[in-house]
Amino acid sequence: MSTDGDLIKLYSGQILALAADIPHLERLEAPDATVKKRSPLCGSTITVDVDMEDGKVAAFGHDVKACALGQAAASVVGSNIIGRTHAEVVQARDQLKSMLKENGPAPDAPFDDLKILLPARDYRNRHASIMLALDALVEATA
């Protein structure tokens, strides 16, 4: 059972710094795709907009209404999504899910900064919020 002290450690300064500095918060005016995902457990939502060019993300914007963990994940993803292919997004999503649910390693570069969310493994009720950005991008880039 987790304690209040464990929860406080979960929301580290690094996670809060990422949550406070989310890139690409401007929505795209006429995106190729828009996908909105919601975590039913906590109510966090993320809406992503993408423009694709030659099979890669050429432009990206998102609206993030999530807990600090979901915001931190969205920050890392937003910092690294431009130039990524659908296959790279799927791989990052699958690796993040494995890291959280199966004690797998952190995702490969360029999404390796998601390792900051390793302490969230023990908080299953937070996993859906953490996964929102990549879940939405898998659909948007398909």
Side-chain angles (χ1 to χ4, degrees), residues 100-121:
L100 293 172
K101 298 185 180 300
E102 301 163 5
N103 292 325
D108 295 336
F111 299 104
D112 51 330
D113 283 345
L114 289 167
K115 67 182 173 269
I116 196 161
L117 297 163
L118 278 168
R121 282 180 173 160

Side-chain angles (χ1 to χ4, degrees), residues 2-19 67-70 72 99-100 114-127 130:
S2 57
T3 66
D4 288 344
D6 292 335
L7 198 54
I8 290 167
K9 287 180 194 170
L10 178 61
Y11 289 97
S12 72
Q14 291 175 307
I15 287 174
L16 295 176
L18 283 170
C67 68
L69 298 173
M99 179 187 88
L100 293 172
L114 289 167
K115 67 182 173 269
I116 196 161
L117 297 163
L118 278 168
R121 282 180 173 160
D122 297 333
Y123 299 90
R124 295 188 190 285
N125 60 336
R126 305 285 202 265
H127 291 182
I130 293 168

Side-chain angles (χ1 to χ4, degrees), residues 63-81:
D63 180 40
V64 181
K65 300 206 180 346
C67 68
L69 298 173
Q71 290 176 29
S75 182
V76 172
V77 170
S79 294
N80 296 288
I81 196 62

